[in-house]
Amino acid sequence: FINGWIKSLATTARAKEMYPVCVRQIFKQALIDYNDYDTGVLRITTNPWPKVKIPKADTPEKKAITMEQVRDFFAVPLPESNMKYPLSELGRDVAKMILCLAGINTVDLFYLRKQDCKHGVIGYERRKTRKARADNAYIEMRIPDILKPTIEKYLDRTNSEYLLNFHQRMTTPDSFNANVNIGIKQICDRSLNLPKEKWYCAYKFRHTWATVAQNECGASEAEVGFGLNHSQHKTTRG
């Protein structure tokens, strides 16, 4: 089992570094919880970690696409569907939201509340990092005019606290993200005729926003990092 686990990690960009680091942190916490150095009660007497060499993460594969590819994605007709609410339509609309809202994550779109949108400005705490930052990873941004019809299309008009109606069809942010990705891949497959290894996903539009902002619009690395709600420059640079 261990050999298979290590082998599978070797095929990823970051997991082969991050998983051992997380296990090491668990071990360090165990030393604090179970060893009492003041009284000499040491329940854990060995430490294998000084001898463990943790592999470095691989350079991640380029995730962004070009603006020409973006334009093609939004211009092609949606694939035919018998569904009342085709996933391809959902996928394209959410991809547009991500691209027009500085690479917002699907989980943050899913959890947006009505109270988070005031006078055309949305303000929210990024759920991925809000518990790890003193500012709760809070960010505000104005909804651009080009996106307003799409936002209007998905507004929750019930008494629900949610701003958008995604939760009416999907029960969790994971299922929402999965359905968005299915819709995006349907467009890549049936409308763009791309090979499977080149299909897009929602996260690719986040990286595309960052790359285009810096390389084509002249944004600085700090500005891109601010838009992505990063706290460290090395994350933005990666």
Side-chain angles (χ1 to χ4, degrees):
F1 170 79
I2 295 297
N3 289 337
W5 181 63
I6 294 175
K7 185 177 180 181
S8 66
L9 288 179
T11 64
T12 65
R14 295 195 65 206
K16 66 180 182 180
E17 176 185 24
M18 294 307 299
Y19 275 51
V21 168
C22 291
V23 174
R24 185 177 61 187
Q25 288 302 111
I26 294 172
F27 182 84
K28 288 182 177 179
Q29 186 61 46
L31 293 179
I32 296 173
D33 293 343
Y34 295 103
N35 284 357
D36 190 334
Y37 296 98
D38 294 331
T39 61
V41 177
L42 305 179
R43 296 180 178 87
I44 301 174
T45 57
T46 59
N47 183 359
W49 286 102
K51 298 180 180 179
V52 175
K53 185 176 181 180
I54 297 177
K56 295 293 183 182
D58 298 330
T59 301
E61 180 184 355
K62 182 180 178 182
K63 297 183 176 69
I65 58 178
T66 66
M67 277 309 301
E68 288 72 21
Q69 291 172 309
V70 169
R71 294 187 184 99
D72 288 343
F73 176 83
F74 289 111
V76 295
L78 293 175
E80 294 184 5
S81 175
N82 295 325
M83 298 176 62
K84 183 177 180 181
Y85 302 106
L87 291 182
S88 56
E89 183 177 359
L90 173 71
R92 189 161 71 180
D93 287 342
V94 172
K96 188 175 184 179
M97 293 182 191
I98 295 171
L99 199 64
C100 292
L101 293 174
I104 190 173
N105 294 97
T106 55
V107 63
D108 294 317
L109 277 174
F110 184 84
Y111 280 119
L112 281 179
R113 266 54 174 186
K114 290 183 175 70
Q115 65 184 27
D116 297 332
C117 184
K118 299 177 181 178
H119 309 295
V121 175
I122 59 171
Y124 67 94
E125 296 175 355
R126 189 182 179 205
R127 299 185 76 86
K128 182 178 179 179
T129 53
R130 62 177 182 169
K131 294 183 178 179
R133 287 169 50 177
D135 63 355
N136 298 324
Y138 181 79
I139 189 170
E140 291 183 357
M141 65 183 68
R142 186 172 298 280
I143 300 173
D145 290 341
I146 194 174
L147 187 63
K148 288 179 179 178
T150 307
I151 295 292
E152 181 76 16
K153 176 180 176 180
Y154 289 94
L155 284 179
D156 186 316
R157 305 183 191 282
T158 70
N159 293 327
S160 165
E161 64 179 326
Y162 292 103
L163 176 66
L164 305 171
N165 62 16
F166 300 134
H167 69 286
Q168 295 178 10
R169 296 170 57 190
M170 278 73 69
T171 56
T172 68
D174 288 337
S175 62
F176 171 59
N177 184 71
N179 279 278
V180 167
N181 282 329
I182 290 173
I184 291 174
K185 291 173 182 178
Q186 286 177 354
I187 297 174
C188 294
D189 180 24
R190 303 175 192 174
S191 299
L192 293 172
N193 298 314
L194 295 176
K196 187 174 182 179
E197 63 272 13
K198 293 187 177 181
W199 290 354
Y200 311 152
C201 64
Y203 210 68
K204 189 173 285 288
F205 289 90
R206 175 175 170 85
H207 283 263
T208 298
W209 177 85
T211 302
V212 170
Q214 184 170 63
N215 293 350
E216 298 189 32
C217 300
S220 67
E221 183 179 301
E223 289 170 331
V224 173
F226 179 78
L228 293 175
N229 208 354
H230 287 162
S231 60
Q232 298 182 5
H233 289 302
K234 66 177 182 180
T235 304
T236 307
R237 193 173 303 116

